[in-house]
């Protein structure tokens, strides 16, 4: 479904007065306004192909209507998001959930919507129909070299799909671990994982990255072989310059200081990208910024400081992706809220008075340090994000326009009430 330009213009026309009043108010105090708006306009977050339908838990799944039935409709939905917020210009595919039937047609459809292909994700955490060997006891760390070989070949096949689509990164997340003490030899499991990743690493093209995603637990409930940043960092260092860590915000133990982890991985040149979401308890995969917006701001505060220290381009220097699951909300509304929350946190980090903060830190003026950070966090930057979005051709209020235009109703009309999207 293509959104007509006039629909967005009409929506913005109704809101322009109120927007300009709020924009003038906040921008009056933003010293680096043009830089902030330029950076916000350039900042896009990739949409996970597996989160365009209703998610579920083991206790149930309450599907909404009009969900994408295939890869083509998933690309259309990301195109819709991008038309509304001009900040979702890429899709991250998960293989085998989204195997393209015709690479050329898939590339052309994506180009039609201005959508690129971000990292491709392998899947050795499920057994596929007709699969020779099971991943019940793991994949790259499995005791059986035949199972490891099967998993390595799958990852190499995923790279092949990515190359055909113009992707430049492979994300590897492994459910490999154990659920009972004694079940696993940790040394052998880690060494086998490293050797398997080394074989996959050899298949990477020169301009590709391998993003190693760590996770503390689930579905393994005693140990996870790549369970924290340290294990992912160690593997990335042993593998080589094309290997990096991937930080999924929901994959940490309670109260982990994620912004400090991000600061170190970035300083060491081994931070590859993010899976943004939020959580109260575990890997809840909730809307970004919906539970801990201050943490999201603090993470972007470290990113802006650390990326500037390395002279990295904010928009292209790291992999920016969402990884969420929508059990209750309309998937597209939830994704638009996540993109908005991420850009708000980024905008707040861009208006932090870095010189004043540096001076206060060097003087151990703890109170002043907090005052400076919270001045930025407590600034309502939404008009800045909206201004960047509008000048890029988007809607001033994407969620409201999605509703006003009755887009979900239209999708249900063309796809039906009971359609189910592949994914989690
Ligand atoms: C694992 C994870 C990983 C994906 C999966 C869909 O929890 O975060 O990134 O492969 O979700
Ligand atoms: Mn993830």
């Amino acid at each position: 479904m293509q959104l007509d330009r006039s629909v967005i213009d009409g929506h913005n026309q109704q809101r322009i007065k109120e927007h300009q009043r709020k924009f003038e108010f906040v921008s009056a105090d933003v010293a680096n306004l043009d830089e902030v708006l330029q950076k916000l306009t350039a900042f896009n977050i990739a949409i996970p192909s597996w989160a365009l339908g209703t998610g579920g838990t083991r206790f149930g799944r309450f599907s909404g209507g009009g969900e994408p039935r295939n890869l083509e409709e998933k690309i259309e939905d990301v195109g819709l998001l991008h038309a509304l917020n001009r900040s979702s210009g890429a899709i991250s595919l998960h293989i085998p959930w989204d195997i393209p039937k015709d690479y050329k047609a898939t590339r052309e459809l994506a180009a039609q919507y201005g959508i690129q292909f971000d990292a491709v994700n392998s899947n050795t955490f499920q057994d596929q129909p007709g699969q020779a060997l099971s991943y019940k006891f793991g994949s790259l760390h499995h005791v059986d070299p035949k199972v490891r070989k099967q998993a390595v070949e799958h990852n190499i096949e995923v790279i092949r799909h990515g190359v055909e689509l113009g992707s430049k990164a492979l994300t590897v997340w492994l459910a490999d671990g154990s659920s009972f003490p004694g079940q696993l030899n940790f040394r052998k499991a880690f060494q086998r994982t490293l050797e398997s990743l080394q074989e996959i690493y050899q298949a990477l093209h020169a301009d590709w990255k391998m993003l190693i995603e760590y996770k503390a637990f689930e579905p393994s409930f005693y140990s996870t072989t790549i369970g924290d940043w340290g294990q992912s960092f160690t593997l990335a260092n042993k593998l080589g310059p094309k290997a990096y860590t991937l930080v999924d915000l929901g994959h940490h133990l309670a109260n982990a200081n994620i912004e400090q982890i991000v600061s170190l991985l970035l300083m060491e040149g081994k931070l590859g990208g993010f899976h943004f979401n939020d959580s109260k308890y575990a890997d809840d995969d909730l809307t970004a910024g919906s539970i801990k917006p201050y943490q999201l701001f603090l993470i972007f505060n470290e990113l802006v400081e650390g990326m500037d220290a390395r002279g990295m381009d904010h928009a292209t220097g790291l992999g920016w992706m969402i990884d969420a699951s929508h059990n209750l909300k309309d998937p597209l509304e939830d994704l638009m809220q996540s993109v908005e929350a991420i850009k708000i946190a980024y905008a707040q980090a861009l208006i932090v008075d870095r010189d004043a903060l540096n001076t206060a830190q060097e003087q151990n003026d703890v109170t002043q340090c907090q005052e400076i950070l919270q001045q930025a966090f407590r600034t309502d930057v939404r008009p800045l994000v909206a201004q960047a979005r509008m000048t890029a051709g988007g809607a001033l209020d994407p969620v409201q326009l999605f509703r006003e235009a009755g887009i979900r109703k239209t999708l249900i009309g063309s796809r039906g009430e009971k359609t189910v999207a592949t994914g989690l």
Side-chain angles (χ1 to χ4, degrees):
M1 162 184 182
Q2 289 268 16
L3 204 56
D4 198 75
R5 175 77 261 142
S6 62
V7 172
I8 296 176
D9 294 345
H11 163 89
N12 289 347
Q13 211 43 50
Q14 286 165 1
R15 287 165 172 72
I16 195 66
K17 282 222 166 335
E18 185 198 359
H19 164 68
Q20 271 164 352
R21 178 174 55 73
K22 291 177 178 172
F23 176 65
E24 273 144 31
F25 174 79
V26 68
S27 48
D29 297 332
V30 177
N32 54 343
L33 182 63
D34 294 345
E35 180 210 347
V36 169
L37 293 175
Q38 182 276 325
K39 285 192 167 132
L40 284 173
T41 304
F43 198 85
N44 270 248
I45 301 117
I47 303 295
S49 64
W50 60 92
L52 291 161
T54 303
T57 72
R58 58 186 168 164
F59 302 106
R61 184 176 178 283
F62 308 93
S63 77
E67 295 188 7
R69 297 163 289 188
N70 50 48
L71 177 54
E72 290 65 33
E73 291 183 346
K74 289 184 176 188
I75 292 171
E76 285 173 17
D77 284 5
V78 175
L80 201 53
L81 290 176
H82 195 44
L84 288 164
N85 65 21
R86 304 309 295 169
S87 305
S88 307
I91 186 170
S92 180
L93 300 188
H94 219 298
I95 307 290
W97 296 335
D98 308 301
I99 293 180
K101 296 184 190 56
D102 173 335
Y103 295 125
K104 185 168 176 300
T106 302
R107 284 198 306 270
E108 284 165 0
L109 178 66
Q112 205 182 309
Y113 288 98
I115 302 297
Q116 301 186 352
F117 292 94
D118 206 298
V120 283
N121 299 263
S122 61
N123 177 342
T124 58
F125 51 85
Q126 295 171 325
D127 289 344
Q128 305 304 326
Q131 184 177 301
L133 302 165
S134 173
Y135 294 134
K136 177 176 180 179
F137 295 108
S139 61
L140 300 185
H141 87 172
H142 202 286
V143 295
D144 180 346
K146 292 194 294 302
V147 176
R148 300 199 298 271
K149 186 170 184 309
Q150 176 183 273
V152 166
E153 282 167 1
H154 164 69
N155 278 274
I156 293 173
E157 184 207 347
V158 172
I159 293 170
R160 265 201 300 275
H161 289 304
V163 168
E164 293 289 345
L165 295 171
S167 172
K168 295 291 183 197
L170 167 72
T171 295
V172 180
W173 170 69
L174 305 175
D176 296 22
S178 64
S179 288
F180 298 92
Q183 173 189 341
L184 198 64
N185 177 304
F186 296 142
R187 278 184 318 97
K188 290 179 183 172
F190 190 83
Q191 191 55 32
R192 288 163 176 158
T193 300
L194 173 60
E195 287 161 8
S196 301
L197 288 171
Q198 279 166 338
E199 286 183 56
I200 298 167
Y201 189 93
Q202 295 316 316
L204 291 175
H205 288 219
D207 58 353
W208 268 59
K209 290 181 176 178
M210 177 189 283
L211 307 177
I212 304 169
E213 184 177 4
Y214 58 87
K215 183 175 184 179
F217 67 93
E218 188 210 32
S220 300
F221 294 106
Y222 171 64
S223 77
T224 299
T225 300
I226 310 180
D228 67 15
W229 71 268
Q231 289 152 349
S232 174
F233 182 56
T234 303
L235 288 166
N237 279 324
K238 287 177 181 289
L239 286 163
K242 290 186 270 188
Y244 297 84
T245 63
L246 186 142
V247 177
D248 184 314
L249 301 193
H251 288 186
H252 299 83
L253 295 174
N255 305 322
N257 187 325
I258 302 176
E259 55 270 26
Q260 185 185 17
I261 293 169
V262 164
S263 166
L264 176 66
L265 293 173
L266 188 51
M267 186 168 64
E268 292 297 312
K270 277 300 183 185
L271 178 63
F274 288 86
H275 278 181
F276 290 112
N277 48 54
D278 210 338
S279 50
K280 179 90 177 136
Y281 302 106
D283 190 19
D284 311 344
D285 278 344
L286 300 175
T287 320
S290 62
I291 307 288
K292 301 186 287 262
Y294 194 48
Q295 174 182 268
L296 188 60
F297 159 70
L298 293 173
I299 289 169
F300 270 93
N301 179 53
E302 293 304 330
L303 286 167
V304 168
E305 201 268 340
M307 293 182 87
D308 289 353
R310 295 178 67 87
M312 292 168 76
D313 176 78
H314 293 180
T316 59
L318 295 174
W320 310 109
M321 292 163 275
I322 289 170
D323 182 359
S325 179
H326 324 288
N327 303 343
L328 302 175
K329 295 183 195 175
D330 180 296
L332 297 182
E333 292 186 353
D334 202 348
L335 288 163
M336 284 186 275
Q337 288 185 315
S338 278
V339 170
E340 178 78 359
I342 293 162
K343 296 198 79 165
I344 286 171
Y346 178 40
Q348 290 165 331
L350 288 172
I351 65 172
V352 169
D353 184 339
R354 303 242 156 243
D355 297 342
L357 180 60
N358 187 47
T359 305
Q361 287 169 338
E362 295 301 313
Q363 295 166 349
N364 294 316
D365 184 343
V366 182
T367 301
Q368 189 57 7
C369 290
Q370 184 173 317
E371 287 300 314
I372 293 163
L373 268 193
Q374 294 196 339
Q375 167 59 34
F377 178 69
R378 291 175 174 155
T379 299
D380 182 359
V381 297
R382 291 176 295 176
L384 301 177
V385 175
Q387 177 71 15
R389 181 169 57 238
M390 180 178 65
T391 50
L396 278 170
D397 192 331
V399 171
Q400 288 321 313
L401 179 52
F402 178 85
R403 291 185 169 202
E404 283 160 16
I407 294 175
R408 179 54 63 190
K409 195 157 166 293
T410 306
L411 292 173
I412 290 170
S414 59
R415 296 171 182 176
E417 274 290 350
K418 287 285 166 250
T419 52
V420 177
T422 54
L424 282 183

